[in-house]
Amino acid sequence: MAIVDFNSPIGKQLLKNLYAYSRGLYSELYRAEVNEKGKSYTDYVHQALDMHLRGKDNYDPNQAPLEYHLKFHVIKRELHNDLPTHVKKAYRERIKIVDPDKFEMVHIIPEPAKEKEPAEDILDFTEHDQKLIFSEIEKEINGDDIVERIYLAVAHDKFNLSDRAEICKECDITHSDFDNGKRRFITILKRVFKKLQLTQTS
């Protein structure tokens, strides 16, 4: 297993991305700077790196890039695992997809007093379907670096697929690469939804 040099430009960017991701997800899941486990968002990054460097994170470079793995197979999992039981029961992931060109995924912790958004033009899936969707999309990406960056931006960094300039700047990709990657990503989405035979709820 190759060890990342965190003093290199690539290593520094990886750390920056991990901290940004952990901070964003942490703020959605927890209401205080330190949670019930005594951890802040930085602790989850340190935990993920420690697990990886000790070979305890089950990383397979043939299955996913390191950044993707640390974000979604380690940091996200540990953040969710540390949620109190009553919060885990309340927490639901909802995916909103108006059409492939305006692809958007959001994670929401519903509040009792907050009414559910209208279902018009929104695909609403069960938790089981959501897991299938994410799993199939990730399989289809299959190491395509540009598509992966676009997917991460819209799935976890709260961009819409229409935010071309913002995504290019944030993900450090050219407009041309984005346009080509977007087409490949939309193809993946259509293939996944066809494969899973998912339809819009009424």
Side-chain angles (χ1 to χ4, degrees), residues 39 44 71-72 82 112 193 200-201:
K39 298 178 181 177
Y44 289 94
K71 283 180 176 179
F72 306 117
D82 284 347
F193 276 78
Q200 185 171 351
T201 59

Side-chain angles (χ1 to χ4, degrees), residues 99-117:
D99 63 53
D101 288 311
K102 299 178 181 177
F103 184 71
E104 179 182 14
M105 293 181 178
V106 293
H107 300 282
I108 298 174
I109 303 175
E111 299 176 3
K114 189 173 182 179
E115 293 184 0
K116 184 179 178 181
E117 289 187 3

Side-chain angles (χ1 to χ4, degrees), residues 70-190:
L70 291 176
K71 283 180 176 179
F72 306 117
H73 295 171
V74 184
I75 294 174
K76 181 179 179 181
R77 181 190 65 212
E78 296 302 321
L79 276 164
H80 282 224
N81 285 346
D82 284 347
L83 286 170
T85 302
H86 70 282
V87 177
K88 287 182 182 179
K89 290 180 178 179
Y91 184 77
R92 293 292 183 270
E93 290 184 329
R94 294 181 58 205
I95 300 176
K96 299 196 301 182
I97 305 177
V98 177
D99 63 53
D101 288 311
K102 299 178 181 177
F103 184 71
E104 179 182 14
M105 293 181 178
V106 293
H107 300 282
I108 298 174
I109 303 175
E111 299 176 3
K114 189 173 182 179
E115 293 184 0
K116 184 179 178 181
E117 289 187 3
E120 182 179 0
D121 291 331
I122 293 177
L123 292 177
D124 225 344
F125 302 109
T126 66
E127 185 173 356
H128 175 68
D129 284 343
Q130 293 166 23
K131 290 179 180 178
L132 284 176
I133 292 168
F134 278 104
S135 176
E136 290 300 325
I137 290 174
E138 291 160 12
K139 288 178 185 176
E140 291 280 351
I141 289 175
N142 192 30
D144 187 326
D145 180 58
I146 297 300
V147 173
E148 181 199 344
R149 294 190 206 184
I150 294 171
Y151 169 64
L152 296 181
V154 298
H156 299 280
D157 293 336
K158 300 181 180 179
F159 289 105
N160 293 329
L161 194 53
S162 57
D163 297 330
R164 180 175 183 255
E166 292 86 348
I167 292 174
C168 287
K169 180 178 179 181
E170 180 69 19
C171 299
D172 190 27
I173 57 180
T174 66
H175 286 187
S176 176
D177 282 343
F178 174 86
D179 293 339
N180 291 327
K182 175 182 173 180
R183 284 193 288 271
R184 297 197 299 276
F185 184 41
I186 291 174
T187 298
I188 287 173
L189 292 178
K190 291 178 178 177

